[in-house]
Every structure is written in structure tokens, then in C-alpha cells.
Amino acid sequence: MLLRAGCGALMLGVLTVGSGCRSWRFGTQTVALTDAGQASFKVVVGTAASDRTKAAAAELTNYLGRIAGTPFELATGEGRQGLAVGAVSDFPELG
């Protein structure tokens, strides 16, 4: 499974929740889950994603919403924006 940020950086990190901090930290960068009470990004699957990938992305969307206290949207796309979930072959545009 591929988990990427919209900027193309591979995200392998630690989700930090506590004291009002809802962010994802990987390396030296931190990605905020929410901004002004709204989700900061969408969870994205490729157009050819398998049913298993879509189910995993939906589950991730649900968990992120529960953690952040605001709903996250599941979308289909190229994976250039948002949190792309799936196999590398699901996002051929990312090269």
C-alpha cells in the first residue's frame, strides 16, 4: 500500500493526538489534520483502486475523522493532492 502526501513525499510517520494537537509527524515535517475546525486534506484513491483499497481508505477516513473531531472526505483522483492511499499502480500520474 502507498501512503503519500500531495507533495509526493512518502509518509511514514507517527500520529500525535493530545493536548489539542492533531497532527501527523514524519521526519522533521508536521502535517496538521485540521485547520480552523475543517479537515486539512481529502483521503484519495485512484480510479482503478481495488475494492479492498477503497475499503481501507474509507476506514482511514473514518478513523481520521474520529481522531480529529471533524469529518474527512474520501475522493477519487490522481493522488497529487490529499492523502493518496493505494498501490503505486493506482496512481500512474505520480510516475
Side-chain angles (χ1 to χ4, degrees):
M1 297 297 279
L2 171 73
L3 188 61
R4 297 179 73 135
C7 63
L10 182 62
M11 286 184 50
L12 299 173
V14 177
L15 185 62
T16 307
V17 179
S19 304
C21 177
R22 289 177 168 84
S23 61
W24 204 317
R25 183 164 186 78
F26 59 104
T28 59
Q29 297 181 337
T30 300
V31 176
L33 292 178
T34 61
D35 182 25
Q38 300 292 318
S40 297
F41 51 83
K42 296 177 183 177
V43 177
V44 180
V45 295
T47 55
S50 68
D51 289 342
R52 183 176 179 193
T53 296
K54 291 175 186 176
E59 185 173 2
L60 175 62
T61 301
N62 180 42
Y63 279 115
L64 288 173
R66 291 171 55 190
I67 290 166
T70 191
F72 278 71
E73 183 180 341
L74 179 58
T76 302
E78 298 176 350
R80 293 187 188 277
Q81 294 183 347
L83 184 65
V85 178
V88 172
S89 60
D90 292 341
F91 302 100
E93 295 86 0
L94 295 180

